[in-house]
Amino acid sequence: MAGVKSLQPRLISSFLGNNSIRSTQPLIHLFRFDLGRRHVSMQLSRTFSGLTNLLFNRRNEDEVIDGKRKRLRPGNVSPRRPVPDHITKPPYVDSFKAPGISSGLEVHDKKGIECMRASGKLAARVREYAGTLVKPGVTTDEIDEAVHNMIIENGAYPSPLGYGGFPKSVCTSVNECICHGIPDSRPLEDGDIINIDVTVYLNGYHGDTSATFFCGNVDEKAKKLVEVTKESLDKAISICGPGVEYKKIGKIIHDLADKHRYGVVRQFVGHGVGSVFHADPVVLHFRNNEAGRMVLNQTFTIEPMLTIGSRNPIMWDDNWTVVTEDASLSAQFEHTILITKDGAEILTNC
């Protein structure tokens, strides 16, 4: 789950034609990283406020993309699922205020590393189980229910639930949804792609991972996007190790995306993860000149998001769901890694 460094609500201007739409909503999860100031600020190309919903959403309600699929529409969101009292919860739960990206690296001792391995392994198992549920006719809410139950049964807490008010236990991002899709009543359709983003909080540590899955018969264009996105993550992990500059991650991902003429989403970043859900370092997936080097025994995520068309995001009025502005497909993969003396250990492999 992509992290946010600056979470103070601010007044945001977005534009529809020549009309300025002003919103005071707490848009805490769409942001831009300022390379010069090492700051993540929130910025929208268009918010789906009441007026833009009237002028933009409804106008495109039945629009068919690429002659095959309809533009993604929100479904009904079921009530928040309960968590038993004996499950240890992260401190942000029920505060409705996401804590943002904590400053300072978390370098783990032996116990911390073992806890991270345990949370990462559980997150990977849940992710793969969720992937087996992806079939035409299955709703993303049903996937959320299954994920929620599996995490609870294993004595862990689903980290997204209650994070800044997020209402569900997993993020399900279908087709043009870049990230942070809220599970709802929409049935998956043959040919869809879906990213399932799982984070678990086990014994005081978060394990964070995601993968994009095929639903039924997916066309070659979508398959290639998903395969290249996975390859970009694998290549990025392969160059990690003590003393390596973080900026090399962005370069290797961006170079591969350019080779295939894909866009790289810039507003969402990888992040340190451990006893805190989102912490330093901020990991950029595009070319940059940011300073900073990897440290032995730190853990962080790499989570590239590539698009077939525009890389520019639009946020729905739920303040979470982010889609490409042209409704082109987006894919994402994510692992939590541990920096070791020999390179990097993927903690979220089964």
Side-chain angles (χ1 to χ4, degrees):
M1 189 175 189
V4 181
K5 189 166 186 178
S6 174
L7 290 167
Q8 294 301 317
R10 57 178 283 206
L11 192 64
I12 296 174
S13 295
S14 57
F15 298 90
L16 183 62
N18 294 322
N19 298 313
S20 176
I21 312 299
R22 298 183 71 79
S23 170
T24 56
Q25 300 178 64
L27 300 168
I28 60 177
H29 291 279
L30 187 59
F31 59 93
R32 181 177 301 279
F33 188 80
D34 187 324
L35 289 172
R37 298 171 57 197
R38 279 201 58 79
H39 176 72
V40 178
S41 62
M42 296 164 289
Q43 181 169 325
L44 290 181
S45 57
R46 183 189 289 114
T47 60
F48 280 178
S49 61
L51 182 56
T52 51
N53 180 61
L54 175 66
L55 298 179
F56 183 79
N57 277 4
R58 293 180 184 176
R59 182 185 66 190
N60 296 306
E61 186 168 358
D62 297 319
E63 182 180 351
V64 176
I65 309 301
D66 293 334
K68 298 177 182 178
R69 58 182 173 86
K70 289 186 178 180
R71 186 182 289 267
L72 190 65
R73 309 299 307 158
N76 297 320
V77 178
S78 64
R80 177 171 167 168
R81 294 188 165 88
V83 177
D85 291 339
H86 72 274
I87 299 293
T88 302
K89 301 173 179 62
Y92 55 77
V93 173
D94 297 324
S95 71
F96 291 94
K97 293 181 180 179
I101 294 183
S102 299
S103 60
L105 301 180
E106 182 176 8
V107 178
H108 301 284
D109 58 16
K110 184 176 180 180
K111 179 181 178 182
I113 290 172
E114 290 308 310
C115 287
M116 285 299 298
R117 285 179 174 140
S119 63
K121 184 175 181 179
L122 176 59
R125 286 172 48 212
V126 174
R127 179 198 66 219
E128 293 307 297
Y129 170 63
T132 67
L133 305 177
V134 174
K135 296 178 178 64
V138 173
T139 68
T140 50
D141 187 61
E142 290 173 318
I143 293 175
D144 178 79
E145 181 179 21
V147 165
H148 180 91
N149 290 339
M150 182 175 180
I151 293 172
I152 297 301
E153 288 166 3
N154 282 274
Y157 183 88
S159 301
L161 186 64
Y163 183 87
F166 192 80
K168 290 295 177 181
S169 298
V170 68
C171 297
T172 52
S173 302
V174 179
N175 294 336
E176 69 263 32
C177 186
I178 296 170
C179 61
H180 299 166
I182 298 175
D184 61 21
S185 61
R186 178 192 181 274
L188 293 174
E189 298 179 2
D190 187 61
D192 283 348
I193 61 173
I194 175 175
N195 177 268
I196 300 178
D197 192 337
V198 174
T199 312
V200 305
Y201 185 66
L202 178 66
N203 298 323
Y205 289 82
H206 299 272
D208 192 1
T209 184
S210 83
T212 300
F213 298 94
F214 300 137
C215 182
N217 299 304
V218 175
D219 66 29
E220 292 303 315
K221 190 175 180 181
K223 285 182 179 179
K224 181 182 175 183
L225 172 68
V226 172
E227 290 165 358
V228 172
T229 306
K230 177 62 165 62
E231 183 183 357
S232 76
L233 174 60
D234 293 341
K235 284 181 175 292
I237 293 172
S238 73
I239 56 95
C240 291
V244 175
E245 295 174 300
Y246 297 114
K247 67 182 182 182
K248 290 189 175 181
I249 292 173
K251 183 180 186 307
I252 200 166
I253 291 170
H254 209 152
D255 285 351
L256 183 63
D258 280 354
K259 178 181 177 181
H260 295 277
R261 298 188 176 183
Y262 292 147
V264 181
V265 176
R266 301 188 179 202
Q267 287 82 355
F268 298 92
V269 298
H271 53 87
V273 63
S275 60
V276 175
F277 195 173
H278 298 106
D280 279 338
V282 171
V283 180
L284 306 181
H285 303 118
F286 56 93
R287 293 187 199 96
N288 65 89
N289 290 311
E290 284 299 295
R293 294 177 182 271
M294 300 171 200
V295 176
L296 183 67
N297 293 339
Q298 71 170 138
T299 49
F300 59 86
T301 71
I302 305 175
E303 42 188 302
M305 290 153 259
L306 304 188
T307 64
I308 285 180
S310 174
R311 62 176 173 81
N312 296 323
I314 293 174
M315 180 179 282
W316 285 2
D317 60 4
D318 59 21
N319 281 334
W320 285 100
T321 306
V322 179
V323 297
T324 55
E325 66 175 354
D326 59 358
S328 62
L329 292 177
S330 178
Q332 179 188 18
F333 283 85
E334 174 186 11
H335 275 309
T336 297
I337 66 170
L338 167 71
I339 299 302
T340 69
K341 61 182 180 62
D342 299 317
E345 176 185 342
I346 299 174
L347 300 181
T348 44
N349 268 342
C350 286

